[in-house]
Structure formats: structure tokens, C-alpha cells
Amino acid sequence: MGNMASLDLRQSSTLHSLVCQSILVLLCLICYGYGGLSGAKFVFDDTVAIVKNKNVNTLPTNWTAIFSHDFWGAPLLSADSHKSFRPLTTLMFHYEYALLGLNAAHMKFLNLLLHCVNTLLMWRLVRSLYVEDIDIERWATISAALFAAHPVHTEAVSGVVGRAELMFGLIHLLCLLLTVASADKQGVSSVSLILLLTAVGMLFKESAVTIPLSCIMLDYFQNGTYMLPLKLQQRVITTRLRYLCYLCGMLSLLILRLWWQNFEAPEFKPVDNPIAHNEQLLTRGLSQQYLYVVNFWLMLCPQWLCFDWALGCINLVTSIWDMRLQAVIAFYSFIIVSVMNFRRLAGLMLGLALMVIPFLPASGIIRVGFVIAERTLYVPSIGFCLVSVYGFLYCYQNYAGNIYCRAALQALLMLLFAVFMIRTRQRAAEWLNEEQLFNSALQVCPNNAKVHYNIARLATDNGNSSRAFQHYLKAVQLYPEYESALMNLGNLYREYGQLQTAEKYIRAALAAYPAFPVAWMNLGIVQSAQKKYDQALDSYRQALKYRSDYAVCYYNMGNLFLEQHQYGEALHHWQHAVAVNPRQPKAWANILTMLDNRGMYEDALRISSQALTQLPNEPSIMFIRANVLGKLKHYMEAETLYKQVLDLEPQNMLYHTNLGVLYHRWDKLDEAIECYQTAISINSLRATTARDNLGKLLKRLNRESYKEPQQ
């Protein structure tokens, strides 16, 4: 009978565990399935880190580049690098691209799966803890459910670049589970494994360097060290070999990581983090303390969420009399009271430790390129969920004899989960595409210049120039030294032929940031359009001074020399452009066009073969090669290439026209007529060559048909 009862108990426990885990996974799917699976697109930072990152979307795998470039694709040792070295995250993106193509939906789905795994790991971790005076099963289930549904996680889960945070969270939780499993054991195997996992985690996200500190704090509470007298605690901590190994290992990994970037610090602009660049020590210190409160508030009440908090979202705290400092005092008072009662509130202190430690790299101890980044709260929120639910259960257990208070607490908890789930689904929907994401930010931070800048950039890409002008001007009004907005506004005026106004804004961008190579190049383009060739050349040279491997600048210098009929110099600079960056289609096309125009057909065929090895499906290169083959009377090969080009761009009028010319030369007159007619139907105003050739061809056919009856 005893064995049967024991078996029934185990089965009941197993069933309970399966139900809990199923509910947690279902919560994740309900909250994030909408944003992760329905028409998802790459948004915001995804574009730079994935879509435009050649380390991600170039085959075969360039191992050297992946392990020598930063997360955004720039060389780690270059002045432009943010020093965010995450090669394993980049490698994950790369293999997803290789296997499934560049598709945001499957990448976000993998993020969602990782979030499900992290939720289950958190549940398992809390169940394995030993904390007095708390129902561990309830603490584990409610904390994990809160973690699953928390709206502040949306950026990490629905933004593809949040993969770094998710992998950091995964390894962090695994290390904590290992710490609990080895709490009563001696030996270095678990310590070595945790340090190895920390090293791997740092290749996903640099913040993983804090994992050993979290393990020390967890071990401190699990071994009951916190219950000893303070002097005895100090002696135990300083003599425990495991802690020394953790600290030495963490320090060694940190030094190795800094050595890999040549001990160079990243250079961020004031527009990225105005607080860190403020010259007043008091303002910088007070504002940073207030940021801690804002980060905590975002986890406590995630009503206002924004993809970028850099400019205009949070005003600087310039005086000790600023009323917002009351929130800072309250925040630190809560921490001090918790520390004073750390023996009685061990679970609360453990949660605080797991909230604070992973946040340290983003806390302003080192200069970072953001004011607030919601995705950096993903791992600290593990501790926040533990603290919140611990407080809830503490109150719930204190009202054991009052069924009405308990019922009220239960109702409030259910309401909280309902609100969080609705908010998370809403936020996940906003991360579906950039238009929804940027417009949502405008509701939260209407005076954020970066928000207006991104709305304007998106409007430019969509061809909505009036909206682009409106928001670029608003961004410049809010932050007059916003160099990127000034430059893009100048480029927009250039497209409308207002060259003097364009030059004024680009010069303003350079006044705000003189070492801005893109602005120097754009100034050269505007000056070239104004026939100020010498000034344009000087501007291009300034751009190359600040970025010597600037392929696009060499391309534009070639165009400048072409306008001055210096064909040798033009060809030389285009060749330099493709030598610096072989994936530069416009430079290849200009080289081939010049060789074609000079009648150097064999050279054009040879170089086009080289170009197609770098850009195998580039229509402009294939088109010019087809033109050259047609002139050499290699009609069948030329026809094949033209058809491949038309498969890529079926609505290109010029491609249909030139295929018609090929058939015309080849004496396939019916096919030529069909191609000319297609070109005219696509764009009758611009298809002058097709219209003229069609007219000549029809006259020829009329003459031939007129002569035949006479014969």
C-alpha cells in the first residue's frame, strides 16, 4: 500500500509539472505568437545587424570576418566599431540565412522558442531553490508565468537582434541551475563548467561576464552562509575556493575580451547617450541614478515602451532639488531596508541580486551607446519577477486567516496577468514592422529627435518626401546638432534640385561632427552637381581621410572624373572601389560600360565574369555582359542572359528594349516586335528607342511585303 501511495504521489507530481510547463509555454505563444509569426519584418537594429551585415548574408561562411568584426559588421579594431563582439550570435543568424534564407518570420520564431525554453528553465530553477517561509511551488510557477508574459521582454523576443539577450538568458539560467545542483558538492568540475559556459555566453553577449557573480550570490544563499554571524560570514567567503575561482575566472575572461579588442574603448556620439556625454559631474551622476529608477519602473509598470530612449525622452536631472529624485530616494530606501532584513527576507535579497548583477554592464559603469535599452532588461527581469512574486506571496501568506483579502489578492493577480498579456500582444504587434514601431514611439516620446529621424528615414524609403521633410525638420528643431538628420535633410533637398539648401544642411552636419565621412562624401556629390569640381574633389578626399576603405566614395570620385572627361582616372577609381569592396554593383557596372563604349569587348567579358563571381545575380552586370555578347554576335548566350535578367526585373523597360535589339540583329523579327511592344507598354514616354526601332522594323516589313506581290 505504501508503494502504491508513493507511486500515485509521483504520478500526481509529474502530471502537475507537465500541466505547469504546458501553461507556461502556452502563455509565451499567446503573448508573442502574433508578433513573431504574422507577417513579421526586420525592424530597426535588425537592418544593420542582419540585412546589411555581409557576415550574416554572404556565402560561403567567412569565419575570419565573423571573429574579427563586431555585431554590426564593422571591423572590431576600427574607429567606427561599437566593440560589441558577439560572433556566436552572428553565426546563428548566418546559418539561419544559409538554411532558410533571409526571412524575419523564422528568425523571430526561433526567438520565441528560446523565450519558451528560458521560461521553463526559470521555473525549474526556482523550484530547486531552498528558501524558508515561502511556498516554493507557487513562487516558481507565478514567477515563471510573469516572466513569460512580461511586456518589457517584447523587444528581446520580437526584435531579431534580441537573440543575444535570449542566449545570454539561456546560459545564465543553466549556470544558476548548475550552481544549485553543486551547492553541497566539493570539486572544481562544476566551477570549470560554469566558467566555460560563461566564456561561451560572452560570445553571444558581453554581459554574460557577470554570470559568475550571480552564481556566487546564489551559492551564498543556498548554502545558508547568510545565516552566519557577519564576521564568520566574512571568513567563510574569503576562504571558499569556489568563490576565488569564480572571481579569477571572470577577471581573466574580461581581460581576454578586452585584449581581443586591443583594449580600445568604443566611441559613442552625444546623440546616442546625452547623459554619458554631459560635462557636469553632478548632472551626469544624478541623471544616471534616475535612469535606474526608470528601468525599474519599466519592469514594474511597462505602459510606456519605446524602441529608442536617446533624445528627448528623459530630461537631465541638473539639480538636487529636482522632484524626480524623490523616486530615487524611495528606490534606494527599498534596497536599504531589504539589505537590513536580508536574513529574514532571503528570497527577496536573492531576487534583488539576480536583478542588479546582470544589469551592471548597462548601468553606466562603462560608457554605453544608449540611455535605456529595453532588451537589456530581459535577464535582470528574472530577478525582478522573483522579487515581485516573493512580495506578493509574503502578503498572501500573512493573510492566511482572511479569505476576503486572499480572494482580493488572487483577483488582482489574475487582473495583472490579463493586462500584461494584452499589453504584450499589443507591443508584439507594434514590432511587426517599422511604421507601427516608430509611430508607437511618437506616442511615448513626442520630443525624441531620434524617433522623428527614423520616421523620416522610413518615409524617404517609401517615397513619401513630404512626411520625410516634416520629420527631419522636427528632428533638427529638437536637436540642432543632430548630424545624421542634417545630412539626410541635405540629401533630400539635393534630390529635389535645391543644391544650395542641400549644401547648407550638409555643412551644418559637418560643423556638428567634422569627422563624418558620409557627410563629406555627400557634400562632394552636391558640389559636383553644382560643377564645383575642385571643391568636390577636396570633399571626397576629406571623406577618405576619415575612412580610407570607403568604396562608395571611390565610386563617386570616379563619377566626378567621368564628368570632367578624365576617363583614365574615372576607371582607376572605380577599380579601386571594387578592390576595396567587391560587392559594389554600380562601380562594376560603370567599369563595364566604359569598356563597352570603348569597344574593349574581350576585357568587358573577362571583368564581367569576375564581377559575377562576387555578385552572381546582379541584373546590371548581367545586362551589360549580354549587350557585349550581342555585339560579338554570340546571340544564344546573350539571349539566355537577357532572359535571366528579365526574370529578376520583368518590368524593366530597357531590358526588353535591348532584347528586342538583339532579336533585330539576329533577324528574329517577330520576337523583336514583341519585345519592343512590351517595352512601350511598360513606359511609353521613356521607351523612345523601342518606339523608333519598332517603327523602322514595321516600315521594313511593309516594304518587303509590298515588293513580294510585284515579284
Side-chain angles (χ1 to χ4, degrees):
M1 290 293 290
N3 290 337
M4 288 294 293
S6 176
L7 181 62
D8 289 342
L9 187 62
R10 283 200 301 271
Q11 288 178 342
S12 175
S13 177
T14 302
L15 181 61
H16 178 264
S17 296
L18 285 174
V19 169
C20 286
Q21 292 177 79
S22 300
I23 291 172
L24 292 173
V25 171
L26 186 61
L27 267 176
C28 294
L29 295 176
I30 290 172
C31 290
Y32 293 101
Y34 179 33
L37 303 175
S38 306
K41 295 181 180 178
F42 293 109
V43 295
F44 194 43
D45 287 341
D46 297 346
T47 305
V48 180
I50 299 169
V51 179
K52 295 182 179 179
N53 190 343
K54 300 304 178 186
N55 301 330
V56 171
N57 53 43
T58 300
L59 294 172
T61 306
N62 189 339
W63 291 92
T64 303
I66 288 173
F67 281 89
S68 62
H69 289 185
D70 68 15
F71 186 55
W72 311 103
L76 192 64
L77 300 182
S78 74
D80 296 329
S81 173
H82 287 185
K83 313 301 180 188
S84 48
F85 182 62
R86 304 165 194 170
L88 293 187
T89 308
T90 303
L91 204 59
M92 282 187 78
F93 294 150
H94 172 73
Y95 278 116
E96 285 175 76
Y97 164 74
L99 294 172
L100 301 169
L102 203 62
N103 183 280
H106 74 250
M107 289 185 168
K108 292 190 177 189
F109 180 64
L110 182 53
N111 277 16
L112 177 55
L113 291 181
L114 287 170
H115 182 57
C116 292
V117 171
N118 287 340
T119 300
L120 295 178
L121 287 175
M122 180 183 173
W123 173 77
R124 186 168 292 277
L125 170 67
V126 183
R127 287 183 81 218
S128 65
L129 298 178
Y130 174 74
V131 178
E132 293 181 345
D133 302 326
I134 198 80
D135 187 327
I136 291 294
E137 197 66 41
R138 282 178 177 169
W139 196 26
T141 305
I142 301 174
S143 297
L146 185 61
F147 182 79
H150 204 298
V152 84
H153 297 158
T154 314
E155 182 173 344
V157 179
S158 295
V160 182
V161 295
R163 179 75 54 81
E165 311 295 335
L166 295 164
M167 291 305 300
F168 167 33
L170 177 68
I171 293 173
H172 184 258
L173 287 164
L174 287 174
C175 289
L176 294 178
L177 280 164
L178 277 169
T179 302
V180 174
S182 61
D184 299 326
K185 300 175 183 177
Q186 299 296 323
V188 296
S189 57
S190 62
V191 175
S192 301
L193 184 55
I194 286 171
L195 289 175
L196 177 61
L197 285 172
T198 300
V200 172
M202 289 176 67
L203 298 178
F204 283 107
K205 179 68 187 289
E206 302 85 348
S207 302
V209 72
T210 60
I211 288 175
L213 284 179
S214 296
C215 293
I216 289 173
M217 289 304 299
L218 181 58
D219 187 81
Y220 169 79
F221 282 103
Q222 285 303 105
N223 274 315
T225 308
Y226 71 98
M227 295 299 294
L228 300 174
L230 291 178
K231 288 186 178 180
L232 186 56
Q233 279 190 45
Q234 185 179 0
R235 190 181 313 145
V236 169
I237 291 170
T238 53
T239 57
R240 187 161 285 175
L241 181 62
R242 176 180 298 181
Y243 295 172
L244 184 62
C245 290
Y246 280 142
L247 293 174
C248 290
M250 185 181 72
L251 186 61
S252 300
L253 289 172
L254 182 59
I255 292 171
L256 184 62
R257 170 65 180 80
L258 293 173
W259 171 78
W260 194 252
Q261 67 185 51
N262 203 25
F263 294 96
E264 294 176 354
E267 294 183 9
F268 297 110
K269 301 172 187 175
V271 69
D272 297 319
N273 190 347
I275 292 174
H277 285 82
N278 192 276
E279 295 179 356
Q280 299 295 324
L281 180 62
L282 178 65
T283 298
R284 198 164 61 244
L286 293 178
S287 299
Q288 191 63 55
Q289 300 306 309
Y290 180 64
L291 279 187
Y292 300 153
V293 176
V294 175
N295 277 283
F296 184 77
W297 181 254
L298 287 177
M299 292 188 287
L300 188 64
C301 182
Q303 178 183 356
W304 300 290
L305 298 174
C306 184
F307 72 93
D308 195 303
W309 292 80
L311 291 174
C313 282
I314 299 174
N315 295 325
L316 297 175
V317 181
T318 57
S319 166
I320 60 172
W321 306 113
D322 194 308
M323 296 298 290
R324 290 174 293 174
L325 291 179
Q326 293 183 32
V328 176
I329 294 169
F331 177 68
Y332 280 108
S333 299
F334 166 68
I335 292 177
I336 291 168
V337 170
S338 300
V339 171
M340 291 173 64
N341 294 274
F342 74 98
R343 286 194 179 93
R344 191 163 57 89
L345 302 172
L348 182 67
M349 283 305 302
L350 175 60
L352 277 174
L354 294 181
M355 181 175 69
V356 171
I357 291 171
F359 185 71
L360 289 175
S363 65
I365 295 174
I366 56 173
R367 181 175 288 185
V368 293
F370 55 85
V371 175
I372 291 174
E374 289 165 17
R375 60 176 174 259
T376 63
L377 297 175
Y378 183 81
V379 178
S381 70
I382 294 171
F384 171 80
C385 292
L386 293 177
V387 169
S388 303
V389 177
Y390 185 92
F392 170 81
L393 291 176
Y394 188 85
C395 295
Y396 188 79
Q397 289 175 190
N398 281 345
Y399 287 114
N402 191 326
I403 59 172
Y404 297 107
C405 287
R406 280 199 159 197
L409 286 172
Q410 290 173 354
L412 288 173
L413 183 65
M414 297 304 295
L415 178 62
L416 174 69
F417 274 107
V419 170
F420 268 31
M421 289 171 68
I422 292 169
R423 178 66 178 126
T424 302
R425 282 183 61 83
Q426 179 191 34
R427 187 62 179 157
E430 291 169 355
W431 275 87
L432 280 173
N433 58 65
E434 289 192 326
E435 186 172 358
Q436 292 182 159
L437 181 64
F438 297 161
N439 287 335
S440 70
L442 207 56
Q443 305 301 315
V444 178
C445 296
N447 294 323
N448 186 331
K450 266 198 168 183
V451 171
H452 289 281
Y453 168 81
N454 279 288
I455 292 173
R457 178 184 56 78
L458 182 63
T460 303
D461 293 341
N462 294 336
N464 190 345
S465 298
S466 60
R467 182 172 169 83
F469 273 117
Q470 174 191 348
H471 286 281
Y472 275 137
L473 289 168
K474 184 65 176 178
V476 171
Q477 177 190 344
L478 290 168
Y479 190 69
E481 296 183 349
Y482 197 169
E483 71 278 358
S484 296
L486 289 164
M487 182 193 70
N488 285 4
L489 189 55
N491 290 340
L492 206 55
Y493 277 113
R494 185 194 75 213
E495 291 177 10
Y496 278 82
Q498 300 181 37
L499 299 178
Q500 291 184 346
T501 307
E503 184 173 351
K504 181 187 78 170
Y505 278 107
I506 295 174
R507 286 192 180 279
L510 288 167
Y513 181 42
F516 194 2
V518 183
W520 280 113
M521 184 193 71
N522 281 299
L523 179 60
I525 294 171
V526 170
Q527 290 167 334
S528 177
Q530 293 175 296
K531 310 298 181 186
K532 300 176 182 178
Y533 296 129
D534 291 338
Q535 293 181 33
L537 187 59
D538 289 340
S539 296
Y540 288 142
R541 285 172 176 163
Q542 283 291 326
L544 293 172
K545 172 185 172 183
Y546 294 112
R547 187 186 295 175
S548 59
D549 60 346
Y550 201 176
V552 180
C553 189
Y554 283 113
Y555 162 75
N556 282 303
M557 287 180 79
N559 294 346
L560 175 66
F561 286 116
L562 179 65
E563 288 184 30
Q564 299 176 80
H565 308 293
Q566 298 181 34
Y567 301 115
E569 284 292 325
L571 187 61
H572 167 72
H573 282 84
W574 291 330
Q575 289 171 335
H576 200 147
V578 296
V580 171
N581 180 9
R583 298 176 64 84
Q584 191 65 238
K586 291 183 179 180
W588 284 115
N590 281 12
I591 292 169
L592 295 172
T593 300
M594 180 169 285
L595 294 174
D596 182 16
N597 292 339
R598 289 183 170 188
M600 302 168 69
Y601 300 135
E602 296 300 331
D603 289 337
L605 290 178
R606 176 177 54 81
I607 291 175
S608 64
S609 295
Q610 296 174 10
L612 288 171
T613 59
Q614 300 293 334
L615 300 161
N617 294 311
E618 176 54 44
S620 60
I621 297 171
M622 296 165 67
F623 173 66
I624 298 169
R625 182 178 174 84
N627 291 343
V628 173
L629 288 167
K631 291 175 183 179
L632 292 173
K633 299 185 178 180
H634 298 167
Y635 295 135
M636 293 183 67
E637 193 177 348
E639 180 189 28
T640 302
L641 265 180
Y642 277 129
K643 287 184 176 180
Q644 289 176 6
V645 169
L646 284 168
D647 285 340
L648 295 170
E649 295 185 16
Q651 294 300 309
N652 190 304
M653 174 268 299
L654 186 59
Y655 296 169
H656 285 284
T657 300
N658 280 31
L659 180 56
V661 172
L662 177 76
Y663 285 135
H664 205 149
R665 288 175 179 162
W666 201 355
D667 214 27
K668 291 190 172 184
L669 303 184
D670 291 339
E671 288 87 343
I673 290 171
E674 183 181 350
C675 288
Y676 289 146
Q677 288 174 338
T678 303
I680 293 168
S681 68
I682 291 171
N683 193 331
S684 59
L685 294 176
R686 296 184 60 190
T688 52
T689 302
R691 194 163 46 248
D692 292 344
N693 286 359
L694 179 61
K696 292 174 184 177
L697 183 55
L698 292 175
K699 285 179 182 178
R700 172 186 161 186
L701 291 174
N702 286 335
R703 284 197 303 269
E704 290 176 356
S705 63
Y706 178 73
K707 289 178 182 179
E708 284 178 5
Q710 291 183 334
Q711 292 175 353

